[in-house]
Amino acid sequence: MEEENHPCRRRRMDQEENNSPKLHAAVNHINDLPPTILVYILRQLRMSDLLHRASLVCKLWHQLVYDPDLWRRIDLKYQHKVTDTQLLTLTQISDRVTHIDISYTLNLTSEAVEHALKCCTHLRSLHMSSKSMLYDGILEVVGKNCHRLQTLVMDSSLLTDRGLLQIAQGCPDLRKINFALCGAFVTDNGVLAITENCPRLKEVMLGYLSKVTDTSCVRLCEMCPDLEVVSLVSSGVGQKGVQALTKLRKLKVLDISSLLGISPADVASLIQYCPDLEEMNVSGNPQIDDACLLQVVKYGHKLHLLKCASCHVTDHFMSEVGKLTNTLKNLDIGWCQVTDDGIRTLSATCQSLRYLGLIQCSAVTAATMEELMAKYPQIKYRFPDIERPVFYNEPTTAFPYAFCKYNVK
């Protein structure tokens, strides 16, 4: 359907032309507002409320609910009951759909998704997280029809190198990809294809892909120098891959948690080559010690979030970190051998600190935490007391997985 011929669009244009002098007159009923304002209001509603409630209010609202402007962004995330027919209907309302999110839907078939995407030639963003179907056919359709695609999020889905090759060939303007937890069928071959054909990438999530190795990471750093966000948690990347990250001078967010074979020296030198680094996760690497982390804090002039859970962190780090930084706000040292003395010193000397994670720090006592929470109310401590749990919400972070959901071992 052509948007210009949509009856609601024609009516809206006519009404605005005829009533433009009356825009500042008194409004006695919500329907007296210009259609453009009503559409803006309706855009704030959830999709389910639009379809099942707002559309039933009156004839005008029913027409406005199906205004093409409302359906350029189709967000069906967590809509477990949405059907193939509904998806096909929604994607045909506007001929300029730019965003689709069907993550965590349960009833959609791959055939319906493929058919819907064939019509979305203006698509810029596609989210299909946590889907059990094999996506190679869908990615082939995207590669052939959605050449303007910039964001592709498919974490926890089933992909293979064949599907990634189709995306690489058809979507050269990709800026963000998330293939974390996409299984054992994604290897260096698929990632290399993306790397070679999509040089504008800025965000890359390759967590938990054991067959993605240093080969991919080295080439990625060579071909995509504008990368700002990189997540390699529990992947097959090792020392050479981490060393190659020093080429990414615009890097802001980095997750290299639970990587075998990386050395403290490589991590310490990394921060000196990436001056814009703001968030860093090195959790799950027991070889990372106090000396390495103090170098990270010292040279990370913009670093405000550091995760080093399950690293070799002691009270020495806690006593020195406050002297080296005035930017660090969020620090996670869960599963580390720190004591009450270290926590007291850190709280007193690190003036910028606003969050401290202490999960499973067995040498830290509940009595000390009660004392510190009263003395430093600006700091949110996360410390579980067995008898009386005390939890605070963790800070917002750009890390999609390792930081927020299944952080450390």
Side-chain angles (χ1 to χ4, degrees), residues 204 206 214 216-222 224-225 227 229-232 237-257 259 262 266-267 269-275 277 280-282:
V204 173
L206 301 173
D214 288 339
S216 292
C217 191
V218 170
R219 192 59 175 160
L220 187 67
C221 295
E222 293 173 350
C224 305
L227 278 170
V229 178
V230 176
S231 176
L232 302 170
V237 174
Q239 186 173 10
K240 290 183 179 179
V242 173
Q243 291 173 347
L245 293 171
T246 57
K247 298 178 181 179
L248 303 178
R249 302 305 171 89
K250 298 181 181 180
L251 192 63
K252 295 181 179 180
V253 179
L254 176 63
D255 186 348
I256 51 174
S257 57
L259 294 184
I262 66 172
D266 292 330
V267 175
S269 64
L270 181 62
I271 194 73
Q272 300 182 45
Y273 289 94
C274 304
L277 202 60
M280 189 175 190
N281 187 359
V282 294

Side-chain angles (χ1 to χ4, degrees), residues 371-386:
E371 170 195 332
L372 295 178
M373 283 188 286
K375 189 173 183 180
Y376 304 103
Q378 76 277 14
I379 302 176
K380 294 184 178 181
Y381 299 89
R382 184 169 185 180
F383 176 79
D385 182 344
I386 295 177

Side-chain angles (χ1 to χ4, degrees), residues 315 338-345 363-369 372 383:
D315 285 348
V338 295
T339 69
D340 289 344
D341 291 339
I343 302 301
R344 285 195 181 96
T345 304
V364 179
T365 64
T368 297
M369 295 311 304
L372 295 178
F383 176 79

